[in-house]
């Protein structure tokens, strides 16, 4: 069964004295390795204050990864936006895609839905030359 989890959290990289670029590359490298091994795809959208992430894969593996993510001190105030079974991957070609400074940020208390966040991320990856893309095919 294919499962998708969407969450958002408060970015603490700057508050912890970690340079944004090096902190994000550390996250990206770890995500590449972990997600490839687990068969998980997804995207991480971030700005100076917030993160939103989509994880797609086997329900148990996504859940276990999310539990580990929750203990990461580089973010706080983690909120699940949506967790559900889905029929297809929206980030099938990405073990992890990084989207920096989104044009239309979904952050804050006015999240519409997990599907809206996913669609916004997909559009950002299609249309933005400014996005940092960590291209790691999952298959």
């Amino acid at each position: 069964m294919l499962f998708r989890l969407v969450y958002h959290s408060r970015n603490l990289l700057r508050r912890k004295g970690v340079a944004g670029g090096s902190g994000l590359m550390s996250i990206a490298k770890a995500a590449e390795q972990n997600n490839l091994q687990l068969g998980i795809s997804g995207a991480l959208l971030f700005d100076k204050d917030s993160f939103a992430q989509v994880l797609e894969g086997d329900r148990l593996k996504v859940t276990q990864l999310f539990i580990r993510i929750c203990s990461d001190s580089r973010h706080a105030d983690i909120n699940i936006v949506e967790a559900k079974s889905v029929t297809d991957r929206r980030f099938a070609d990405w073990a992890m895609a990084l989207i920096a400074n989104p044009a239309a940020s979904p952050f804050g208390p006015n999240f519409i839905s997990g599907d809206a966040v996913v669609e916004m991320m997909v559009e950002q990856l299609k249309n933005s030359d400014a996005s940092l893309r960590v291209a790691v095919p999952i298959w």
Side-chain angles (χ1 to χ4, degrees), residues 123-135:
E123 288 304 311
Q124 287 283 319
L125 286 171
K126 285 182 190 175
N127 299 323
S128 176
D129 292 335
S131 295
L132 171 63
R133 300 176 184 199
V134 180

Side-chain angles (χ1 to χ4, degrees), residues 72-93:
D72 191 321
S73 65
R74 295 172 290 192
H75 66 149
D77 303 328
I78 301 165
N79 293 294
I80 295 175
V81 176
E82 194 167 73
K84 67 179 184 178
S85 296
V86 294
T87 57
D88 63 333
R89 292 177 189 261
R90 296 306 309 272
F91 302 97
D93 294 333

Side-chain angles (χ1 to χ4, degrees), residues 15-45:
R15 289 169 188 84
K16 293 204 167 290
V18 176
S22 65
L24 288 166
M25 289 315 296
S26 173
I27 291 169
K29 287 177 183 179
E32 285 175 344
Q33 293 173 352
N34 293 335
N35 292 0
L36 282 171
Q37 290 176 1
L38 296 171
I40 292 175
S41 56
L44 174 66
L45 184 145

